Amino acid sequence: MTRIPVSILGATGTVGQKFVRLLDGHPWFEVVALAASEHSAGKRYGDVVRWREPVPIPAHLADLVIRPCAVPLEGTIAFSALDNSVAGTVERAFAAAGKFVVTNASHHRMHPLVPLVVPEINADHLGLLAKQRATERWTGAVVANPNCTTIGLVLALAPLHQAFGVTKLVVSTMQAISGSGYPGVPSLDILGNVIPFISHEEEKVEAETRKILGTLGDFVADAPIAVSAHTNRVPVIDGHTETVSVALGERVTPEQAAAVWRAWTGRAEARELPSTPKEIVAVDERPDRPQPRLDIERGRGMTVTVGRVRPCPVFDLRFVLLSHNTVRGAAGAAIQNAELLVAQGIVSR
Amino acid sequence: MTRIPVSILGATGTVGQKFVRLLDGHPWFEVVALAASEHSAGKRYGDVVRWREPVPIPAHLADLVIRPCAVPLEGTIAFSALDNSVAGTVERAFAAAGKFVVTNASHHRMHPLVPLVVPEINADHLGLLAKQRATERWTGAVVANPNCTTIGLVLALAPLHQAFGVTKLVVSTMQAISGSGYPGVPSLDILGNVIPFISHEEEKVEAETRKILGTLGDFVADAPIAVSAHTNRVPVIDGHTETVSVALGERVTPEQAAAVWRAWTGRAEARELPSTPKEIVAVDERPDRPQPRLDIERGRGMTVTVGRVRPCPVFDLRFVLLSHNTVRGAAGAAIQNAELLVAQGIVSR
Amino acid sequence: MTRIPVSILGATGTVGQKFVRLLDGHPWFEVVALAASEHSAGKRYGDVVRWREPVPIPAHLADLVIRPCAVPLEGTIAFSALDNSVAGTVERAFAAAGKFVVTNASHHRMHPLVPLVVPEINADHLGLLAKQRATERWTGAVVANPNCTTIGLVLALAPLHQAFGVTKLVVSTMQAISGSGYPGVPSLDILGNVIPFISHEEEKVEAETRKILGTLGDFVADAPIAVSAHTNRVPVIDGHTETVSVALGERVTPEQAAAVWRAWTGRAEARELPSTPKEIVAVDERPDRPQPRLDIERGRGMTVTVGRVRPCPVFDLRFVLLSHNTVRGAAGAAIQNAELLVAQGIVSR
Amino acid sequence: MTRIPVSILGATGTVGQKFVRLLDGHPWFEVVALAASEHSAGKRYGDVVRWREPVPIPAHLADLVIRPCAVPLEGTIAFSALDNSVAGTVERAFAAAGKFVVTNASHHRMHPLVPLVVPEINADHLGLLAKQRATERWTGAVVANPNCTTIGLVLALAPLHQAFGVTKLVVSTMQAISGSGYPGVPSLDILGNVIPFISHEEEKVEAETRKILGTLGDFVADAPIAVSAHTNRVPVIDGHTETVSVALGERVTPEQAAAVWRAWTGRAEARELPSTPKEIVAVDERPDRPQPRLDIERGRGMTVTVGRVRPCPVFDLRFVLLSHNTVRGAAGAAIQNAELLVAQGIVSR
């Protein structure tokens, strides 16, 4: 099988680098273009990128000349790791030019015509694309994945929601610094410290959770779940840890919840995608797990780990979850969405 | 005025050292004896202690010979920083021998005859002492202060509870490593990591909160508040940060809550104690505060800082609080309790 | 006595903030003007500064309106915490306008007419000022203090050099992130990491050491010492630790060296300055000291601590030193230099 | 080919776990026995080990019942990760019982009959074994690998020593906490701190370097190199960084040194061993490399990375090196030594 040509927009940033790394050797996709700001365009990728991954840059990509983030650009699919300040305009231009834009930027996530997709949960939301393309008169399309904090949360919630109905929840996060990109958080702010604030993060978690767990009709009707998020930055490199207290439609024991998570295989459309992990939600029964340093690599960074499942004195259940914020929470999520587009025949091989 | 002679039980540990430091130059108390395990007894304090405070050991205490944790021992008041494994037996022996034991150990906290006191909140709970002394036939007494995580929480809750009634809450903590003593948390466990579990901590926070906010009758009747705690360790030296979502008896705006906190002066009995801070609860309006590295020293470590006060989509109010876990949460709390005993005439000058 | 009015150039940065904090309550100086970039000028200091000190901004300074870094400006002495990109031009303009510029910037340090002064070591180098003022036709003057890494090193070396003669040395540093200002080092670069490179730092240490320990004639003749520096960044907030192997003019035992350090009182001119510590070089005999988290506050941050003094198998002596990089290594050093100017009558009270 | 059965002594510790992980899937060796202290013996490995590797325990080993560290024990080769307190006795008993003990413990390293081997440098030192076995009347043998700090240093020095002759050097280290095992360094000691002391480490580096670079005659004659080591602990998880100033037998440019390192393939005996990396010493020309977080995995943890090669104002050359302290510096080194024993026919397949 010939691999589908793809480009990466915003290829020099932290998430852009993660795209480069995760797409290296991908069975379906081949990176043919790297695009970045005007400042970098025209230069060799290996000379410009401040490479932060602990493996070398794939040699053939290091030699690519960076392109500006504009059409025309090679590649059927464009992975967007753009800053929000430019993502809207650029992504629309690409979609208009016939590209399938799979974006990690937040700009389009809450747009009513843009599906916000986690394949195991709501692959069917791709149904929005027909209306999106007709309305916008695009020959391409835009598909978004959620915020890095939302995605771990919704993957832990979805099985519970399907089995018991989630009605409300309080989530408090301890988020890794890589979520803020590079240079991102100054070391003087975070070394030996906690920053109990991440700009716009709580709003994103609350709104995106309802959309992803919502129901597709003409548009997506939000799930009627009250979400209260507290988002915090802690001195961890990779991996967002979240504590969750959740009210369900019925009384549920920790054992029942664990059984539901373990049995959960997600939507059929997601099952054969290369990036879908064997275990979507792992339940770790050790008393002090999950921990970011030890558990984020589970399922090559695509598995969400749940632990400390116990009754909640205020709601029904409480637990801790962990997900890899730059894999499952960013580049890996977008790549899985692109795989879904291919598997569903929306992008043809 | 002659200062009251006091001893420190468990003087070589982290909290013991904090007692030594905070009592240096105290206007009412004078350290006359340092006690520790049999292993250290008989040796010079300065030779045995692995001193971790960033100021020198007070010279006259460095030269003291360590005593075993047993009566007879000089001192009217005995500050206990003992391990729970021995605290029960030792503290009872001291109380029986006429000492006023002011303990930071958790052993006696939930005992129905032992007042669990934060002077600004429940100085009146000292009323239990008459029954305690009669029942136990002690000429001394035992008074406890709460766990380092509980104390910040109850100080933030008490003003709200008095003004509006607290009915339930979810709290998620990010706790400093100093809370675990020395050697405490191995660096391989916590560097660049989060440990989402602290043994018995959640149970303590939940039970102690209800007792402290409870009502004194024959015994203390717990406050009818449902508390759900998630306790986590993060790589911070000093300072416990807690995110709180709280349900109140009525709808309250962040501005109303801030006004209540700022106006709160606590119980009259606490006001003139040397360790009571001018601001008991400070409200910091900067969007990303409080932060442990920048804010724990407020009120010489005795002020609790509240920030990010905002409506809660699930309950009524949510906010972040910070308190100094080894000052307000340990040695400082016990010293303030001892001051209360003196001010109330229970210990005579 | 009336206090001498002083200004701070670059008052919003990390070092500028340290000047503000250290000058609060200074017995000789009173801050009357705060200057910063055009971007901040005209705004209230408290509104613009991203204050990073763990104590509040002195209230009367928080209310000052920031001035541009240009003459005319109130104040007899101007403390410069300017970026090197502008320091040269601004400092010259101030000196020409009659201000005594006491600078922490590196721009002028190696200028042959600018004394590079550590009062305890080379207060006499102020003798350059007469020639500086005549040559430049300045009614003011420029005096510099060394780089934050150099100053700890030369304070440890000076007593040895005076007693035994230092001929060569290898120094390897472990430097705090505060040395890089704010935002400075990205957390993704330094959390759980070492960066074995600090731009231009090794050249500064090598050149400045020879100038400070040099001899004043018409100009300063460098001390004939071969210096090899390795400079590294480590995840420490404050405090530069340095390992030193040094060749001396004669064989010296660790005990002899310790005795020399302890007896060293530095130049007479420095002794009565408010910022000169009682112990200039402290020798700590504990086997694992000095450590930045425990020892930087010695002498209110102005004492250099030496430890692990032992014979060197390659040279004569080896040891570890620690100094507070933003106090002794920056703002404190400049303030002490300004005190020297006053004590020497160069700035009149 | 049948794999050679091996055991791991001290299998529950940090280095023991690294042996378990690195031997999983090894082409020549198969773990058949895990041994640990009496306290753990008789229990299931997976139940007892506090597993710290970020991948799961190989399933078939998790189920093994732990054996005491005593003969008889299955396995031709015994990898020793024992504490020094017991290593001497146990290792001798195993060698006497016919086992080939490949040890990471320091006990036997400086014994004149024990080869201290880094295959690429001194595979020929295995020549000591004949005398060892005759003298001790052992049917087995003991072979040691160096200390985790020494091994990076000697791998960087060996090519220079062979090309130009190393005569003296000053090395200053920044060592990872994993080098201290588990629980190892308390977090209160190292978070945001530097500890400028590691017990006995400097002596080991100095003595072992001379032995490894020494010449085999009847015994090993130490290389006549003066070594001055400063060893420091920093808050890094894995990877020892070392700054080195070195005197050579002739003037050498950084370019010449880099060429020598790059061309160096080590001793022929080491070349085909499974653990020998393709690049033994990598030269990284980026100005701020090597860095532990980014560069330790080079050559699956077996490559030593050298950077910042530049002239030394005191000696001839200075540079920074990095090696993975628990792979190249411990378990990986021992496994490579065992491979050498097999390749040399000392252990028969």
Side-chain angles (χ1 to χ4, degrees), chain A residues 174-224:
Chain A
M174 292 166 281
Q175 301 184 217
I177 54 175
S178 60
S180 181
Y182 187 87
V185 186
S187 55
L188 273 174
D189 281 345
I190 196 66
L191 189 64
N193 203 17
V194 166
I195 307 173
F197 176 68
I198 301 171
S199 187
H200 296 108
E201 190 82 354
E202 294 169 353
E203 296 85 339
K204 288 178 190 169
V205 171
E206 294 170 8
E208 295 176 10
T209 296
R210 283 191 294 270
K211 179 169 179 182
I212 296 163
L213 296 178
T215 309
L216 180 70
D218 270 359
F219 292 94
V220 172
D222 278 2

Coordinates of all heavy atoms in Angstrom, one line a residue, chain A residues 174-224:
Chain A
M174 N -3.2 18.1 37.9 CA -1.8 18.4 38.1 C -1.1 18.1 36.8 O -0.8 17.0 36.4 CB -1.3 17.4 39.2 CG -1.9 17.8 40.6 SD -1.7 16.5 41.9 CE -2.9 15.4 41.4
Q175 N -0.9 19.2 36.1 CA -0.5 19.1 34.7 C 1.0 19.4 34.4 O 1.6 20.2 35.1 CB -1.3 20.2 33.9 CG -2.8 19.9 34.0 CD -3.7 20.8 33.1 OE1 -4.7 21.2 33.5 NE2 -3.2 21.1 31.9
A176 N 1.5 18.6 33.5 CA 2.9 18.7 33.1 C 3.3 20.0 32.4 O 2.4 20.6 31.7 CB 3.3 17.5 32.2
I177 N 4.5 20.4 32.5 CA 5.0 21.6 31.8 C 5.0 21.5 30.3 O 4.9 22.5 29.6 CB 6.4 22.0 32.3 CG1 7.4 20.9 32.2 CG2 6.3 22.4 33.8 CD1 8.8 21.3 32.5
S178 N 5.1 20.3 29.8 CA 5.2 20.1 28.3 C 3.9 20.6 27.7 O 3.9 20.9 26.5 CB 5.5 18.7 27.9 OG 4.6 17.8 28.4
G179 N 2.8 20.6 28.5 CA 1.5 21.1 27.9 C 1.6 22.5 27.5 O 0.7 23.0 26.8
S180 N 2.6 23.3 28.0 CA 2.6 24.7 27.7 C 3.6 25.0 26.6 O 3.8 26.2 26.3 CB 3.1 25.4 29.0 OG 3.1 26.8 28.8
G181 N 4.1 24.0 25.9 CA 5.0 24.2 24.8 C 6.4 24.8 25.2 O 6.8 24.7 26.4
Y182 N 7.1 25.3 24.2 CA 8.5 25.7 24.5 C 8.6 27.2 23.9 O 8.2 27.4 22.8 CB 9.5 24.8 23.7 CG 10.9 25.1 24.1 CD1 11.5 24.6 25.2 CD2 11.6 26.0 23.3 CE1 12.8 24.9 25.5 CE2 12.9 26.4 23.7 CZ 13.5 25.8 24.8 OH 14.8 26.1 25.1
P183 N 9.2 28.1 24.7 CA 9.8 28.0 26.0 C 8.8 27.7 27.1 O 9.2 27.2 28.1 CB 10.6 29.3 26.2 CG 9.9 30.3 25.3 CD 9.4 29.5 24.1
G184 N 7.6 28.1 26.9 CA 6.6 27.8 27.9 C 6.8 28.3 29.3 O 7.2 29.5 29.5
V185 N 6.6 27.4 30.3 CA 6.7 27.8 31.7 C 8.1 28.2 32.1 O 9.0 27.3 32.0 CB 6.1 26.7 32.6 CG1 6.1 27.2 34.0 CG2 4.8 26.3 32.1
P186 N 8.4 29.4 32.6 CA 9.7 29.7 33.1 C 10.1 28.8 34.3 O 9.2 28.6 35.1 CB 9.6 31.2 33.5 CG 8.5 31.7 32.8 CD 7.5 30.6 32.7
S187 N 11.3 28.4 34.3 CA 11.7 27.5 35.5 C 11.6 28.2 36.8 O 11.2 27.6 37.8 CB 13.1 27.0 35.3 OG 14.0 28.0 35.1
L188 N 11.8 29.5 36.8 CA 11.7 30.2 38.1 C 10.2 30.2 38.6 O 10.0 30.3 39.8 CB 12.1 31.7 38.0 CG 13.6 32.0 38.2 CD1 13.9 33.4 37.9 CD2 14.0 31.6 39.6
D189 N 9.3 30.0 37.8 CA 7.9 29.9 38.2 C 7.5 28.5 38.7 O 6.6 28.4 39.6 CB 6.9 30.2 37.0 CG 6.8 31.7 36.7 OD1 7.2 32.5 37.6 OD2 6.3 32.1 35.7
I190 N 8.1 27.5 38.3 CA 7.6 26.1 38.5 C 8.5 25.2 39.3 O 8.0 24.2 39.9 CB 7.1 25.5 37.2 CG1 6.2 24.3 37.5 CG2 8.3 25.0 36.4 CD1 4.9 24.7 38.1
L191 N 9.8 25.5 39.4 CA 10.7 24.6 40.1 C 10.3 24.6 41.6 O 10.3 25.7 42.2 CB 12.1 25.0 39.9 CG 13.2 24.1 40.4 CD1 13.2 22.8 39.7 CD2 14.6 24.7 40.2
G192 N 10.0 23.5 42.2 CA 9.6 23.4 43.6 C 8.4 24.2 43.9 O 8.2 24.6 45.0
N193 N 7.5 24.3 42.9 CA 6.3 25.1 43.1 C 5.1 24.5 42.4 O 5.2 23.5 41.6 CB 6.6 26.5 42.4 CG 5.7 27.6 43.0 OD1 5.1 27.5 44.1 ND2 5.6 28.7 42.3
V194 N 3.9 25.1 42.7 CA 2.7 24.7 42.0 C 2.1 26.1 41.5 O 2.1 27.1 42.2 CB 1.7 24.1 43.0 CG1 0.3 24.1 42.4 CG2 2.1 22.7 43.4
I195 N 1.6 26.1 40.3 CA 0.9 27.3 39.8 C -0.6 26.9 39.6 O -0.9 26.0 38.8 CB 1.4 27.8 38.4 CG1 2.9 28.0 38.5 CG2 0.7 29.0 38.0 CD1 3.6 28.3 37.2
P196 N -1.5 27.4 40.5 CA -2.9 26.9 40.5 C -3.7 27.6 39.4 O -4.9 27.9 39.6 CB -3.3 27.3 41.9 CG -2.6 28.5 42.2 CD -1.3 28.5 41.5
F197 N -3.2 27.8 38.2 CA -3.9 28.5 37.2 C -3.3 28.2 35.8 O -2.1 28.3 35.7 CB -3.8 30.0 37.5 CG -4.5 30.9 36.4 CD1 -5.9 30.8 36.2 CD2 -3.7 31.6 35.5 CE1 -6.5 31.6 35.2 CE2 -4.4 32.4 34.5 CZ -5.7 32.4 34.4
I198 N -4.1 27.9 34.9 CA -3.7 27.7 33.5 C -4.8 28.4 32.6 O -5.9 28.1 32.7 CB -3.6 26.3 33.1 CG1 -2.5 25.6 34.0 CG2 -3.2 26.1 31.6 CD1 -2.5 24.1 33.9
S199 N -4.3 29.4 31.9 CA -5.2 30.3 31.2 C -6.2 29.6 30.3 O -5.8 28.8 29.4 CB -4.4 31.3 30.4 OG -5.3 32.3 29.9
H200 N -7.5 29.8 30.5 CA -8.6 29.2 29.7 C -8.8 27.7 29.8 O -9.6 27.2 29.1 CB -8.5 29.6 28.2 CG -8.6 31.1 28.0 ND1 -7.5 31.9 27.7 CD2 -9.6 32.0 28.1 CE1 -7.9 33.1 27.5 NE2 -9.1 33.2 27.8
E201 N -7.9 27.1 30.6 CA -8.0 25.6 30.6 C -9.2 25.1 31.2 O -9.8 24.1 30.7 CB -6.7 25.1 31.4 CG -6.5 23.7 31.3 CD -5.7 23.3 30.1 OE1 -5.5 24.2 29.2 OE2 -5.4 22.1 30.0
E202 N -9.7 25.7 32.3 CA -10.9 25.1 33.0 C -12.1 25.3 32.1 O -12.9 24.3 32.0 CB -11.1 25.9 34.3 CG -10.0 25.5 35.3 CD -9.9 26.4 36.5 OE1 -10.7 27.3 36.6 OE2 -9.1 26.1 37.4
E203 N -12.2 26.4 31.4 CA -13.3 26.6 30.4 C -13.3 25.5 29.4 O -14.3 24.9 29.0 CB -13.3 27.9 29.8 CG -13.5 29.1 30.8 CD -12.2 29.5 31.5 OE1 -11.2 28.7 31.5 OE2 -12.1 30.7 31.9
K204 N -12.1 25.2 28.8 CA -12.0 24.2 27.8 C -12.4 22.8 28.3 O -13.2 22.1 27.6 CB -10.5 24.1 27.3 CG -10.1 25.3 26.4 CD -8.6 25.1 26.1 CE -8.1 26.4 25.4 NZ -6.6 26.4 25.3
V205 N -11.9 22.5 29.4 CA -12.3 21.1 30.0 C -13.8 21.0 30.2 O -14.4 20.0 29.8 CB -11.5 20.9 31.3 CG1 -12.0 19.6 32.0 CG2 -10.0 20.8 31.1
E206 N -14.4 22.0 30.7 CA -15.8 22.0 31.0 C -16.6 21.9 29.7 O -17.6 21.1 29.6 CB -16.2 23.2 31.9 CG -15.5 23.1 33.2 CD -15.6 24.3 34.1 OE1 -16.4 25.2 33.7 OE2 -15.0 24.3 35.2
A207 N -16.3 22.7 28.7 CA -17.1 22.8 27.5 C -16.8 21.5 26.6 O -17.8 20.9 26.1 CB -16.8 24.0 26.7
E208 N -15.6 21.2 26.4 CA -15.2 20.1 25.5 C -15.8 18.8 26.0 O -16.2 17.9 25.2 CB -13.7 20.0 25.4 CG -13.1 21.2 24.7 CD -11.6 21.2 24.6 OE1 -11.0 20.2 24.9 OE2 -11.0 22.2 24.2
T209 N -15.8 18.6 27.3 CA -16.3 17.3 27.9 C -17.7 17.1 27.5 O -18.1 16.0 27.1 CB -16.1 17.3 29.4 OG1 -14.7 17.4 29.7 CG2 -16.7 16.1 30.1
R210 N -18.5 18.2 27.6 CA -19.9 18.1 27.3 C -20.1 17.8 25.8 O -21.0 17.1 25.4 CB -20.7 19.3 27.7 CG -20.9 19.3 29.2 CD -21.9 20.4 29.6 NE -21.3 21.7 29.4 CZ -20.6 22.4 30.3 NH1 -20.4 21.9 31.5 NH2 -20.0 23.5 30.0
K211 N -19.3 18.4 25.0 CA -19.5 18.2 23.5 C -19.1 16.8 23.1 O -19.8 16.2 22.3 CB -18.6 19.3 22.7 CG -18.7 19.1 21.2 CD -18.1 20.3 20.4 CE -18.2 20.1 18.9 NZ -17.6 21.2 18.2
I212 N -17.9 16.3 23.6 CA -17.5 15.0 23.2 C -18.4 13.9 23.6 O -18.7 13.0 22.9 CB -16.1 14.7 23.7 CG1 -15.1 15.7 23.1 CG2 -15.6 13.3 23.5 CD1 -13.8 15.9 23.9
L213 N -19.0 14.1 24.8 CA -19.9 13.1 25.3 C -21.3 13.3 24.9 O -22.3 12.7 25.3 CB -19.9 13.0 26.9 CG -18.5 12.6 27.5 CD1 -18.5 12.6 29.0 CD2 -18.2 11.1 27.0
G214 N -21.5 14.4 24.0 CA -22.8 14.7 23.5 C -23.3 13.8 22.4 O -22.6 12.9 22.0
T215 N -24.5 14.2 21.9 CA -25.2 13.3 21.0 C -25.3 14.0 19.6 O -25.7 15.2 19.6 CB -26.6 13.0 21.5 OG1 -26.5 12.5 22.8 CG2 -27.3 11.9 20.6
L216 N -25.0 13.3 18.6 CA -25.1 13.9 17.2 C -26.5 13.9 16.7 O -27.1 12.8 16.7 CB -24.2 13.1 16.3 CG -24.2 13.7 14.8 CD1 -23.5 15.0 14.8 CD2 -23.5 12.7 13.9
G217 N -27.0 15.1 16.4 CA -28.3 15.2 15.7 C -28.0 16.0 14.5 O -27.0 15.7 13.8
D218 N -28.7 17.1 14.3 CA -28.3 18.0 13.3 C -27.0 18.6 13.6 O -26.1 18.8 12.8 CB -29.3 19.2 13.2 CG -30.4 18.9 12.2 OD1 -30.4 17.8 11.6 OD2 -31.3 19.7 12.0
F219 N -26.8 18.9 14.9 CA -25.5 19.3 15.4 C -25.3 18.4 16.6 O -26.0 17.4 16.8 CB -25.6 20.8 15.9 CG -25.7 21.8 14.7 CD1 -27.0 22.2 14.3 CD2 -24.6 22.2 14.0 CE1 -27.1 23.1 13.3 CE2 -24.7 23.1 13.0 CZ -26.0 23.5 12.6
V220 N -24.2 18.7 17.4 CA -24.0 17.9 18.6 C -24.7 18.6 19.7 O -24.5 19.8 20.0 CB -22.5 17.8 18.9 CG1 -22.2 17.2 20.2 CG2 -21.8 17.0 17.8
A221 N -25.6 17.8 20.4 CA -26.2 18.3 21.6 C -25.4 17.9 22.8 O -25.0 16.8 23.0 CB -27.6 17.7 21.7
D222 N -24.9 18.9 23.5 CA -24.1 18.7 24.7 C -24.7 17.7 25.7 O -25.9 17.7 25.9 CB -23.9 20.0 25.5 CG -22.8 20.9 24.9 OD1 -22.2 20.5 23.8 OD2 -22.5 21.9 25.4
A223 N -23.8 16.9 26.2 CA -24.2 16.0 27.3 C -24.6 16.8 28.5 O -23.9 17.8 28.8 CB -23.1 15.0 27.7
P224 N -25.7 16.5 29.2 CA -26.1 17.4 30.4 C -25.3 17.0 31.6 O -25.9 16.5 32.6 CB -27.6 17.0 30.5 CG -27.7 15.6 30.0 CD -26.6 15.4 29.0

